[in-house]
Amino acid sequence: MKLAIMGAMVEEITPLLEYFETYECVEFGKNRYYTTTYKGLDLVIAYSKIGKVNASLTATTLIEKFGAQKLLFSGVAGAINPTLKIGDLIVATKLAQHDLDITAFGHPHGYVPEGAVFIETDSALMQLAKHVAQTKGIVLQEGIIATGDQFICDSAKKEWIGKTFNADALEMEGASVAVVCDALNIPFCILRAISDAADMDAGFSFDTFLESSAKQSASFMVAILDALA
Ligand code: 3QA
């Protein structure tokens, strides 16, 4: 089984590379892909750089060039649902692009013809994540994640995204990874730990908690790998 583990920022995959200790590096498409094995799993790990376009390129490369059969995303997110606090984990049930807008033609936000507003994640991976959380006594929320090419640091924008997509958290890559995996028939899972509340304090909170929240997500990801192995 060949598995891809993806992040957006270097901080999101560094804890994983440190955990696996030995890996090889292949350069492709102005990016680096790290390969290793863990408990019989073949892993390919990469961070895409920020945003939907970079994330789409990396997800596609992980699947088409490196032959990943499942894709797991680990990283941080801004909270919309007030029950989500800094460091809390959320796994996506489905994802939407909040900045995709052809509403001028009567379509709903996030929709383009021949697409769908929401892309659902793999239910088997979701069940596995929930099972791992339960057995380890870790709180894992499940919910809707909204993605767009904007760092949200404004309560009004956050509320709009929350009510338009019924979203619980937001970030800048998940839904584009979802579009790629859905099109290429690759089961995927998007895991995020909260770094901020996407409000006026988000910039400061993000800088303060990026590293610790990225580690929370990465260590839960290792537990998922243990269950998959
Ligand atoms: C933010 C990162 C991007 O990959 C999306 C973090 C956490 N809080 C968010 C928020 N709005 C949108 N997304 C998020 N990730 C990139 S900007 C910081 C860049 O620092 C999730 C996320 N409120 C670079 C240093 O100059």
Side-chain angles (χ1 to χ4, degrees), residues 8-9 50 76-78 150-152 170-173 195-196 206:
M9 301 179 73
I50 293 162
V76 301
Q150 299 157 357
F151 182 82
I152 305 295
L170 55 84
E171 34 84 315
M172 301 178 67
E173 296 84 17
S195 57
D196 58 85
F206 176 81

Side-chain angles (χ1 to χ4, degrees), residues 96-99 109-110 117-118 144 146 160-167:
Q97 298 180 63
H98 67 69
D99 59 348
H109 284 279
V117 175
F118 293 102
I144 298 173
W160 180 84
I161 293 166
K163 82 174 191 309
T164 307
F165 298 95
N166 196 20

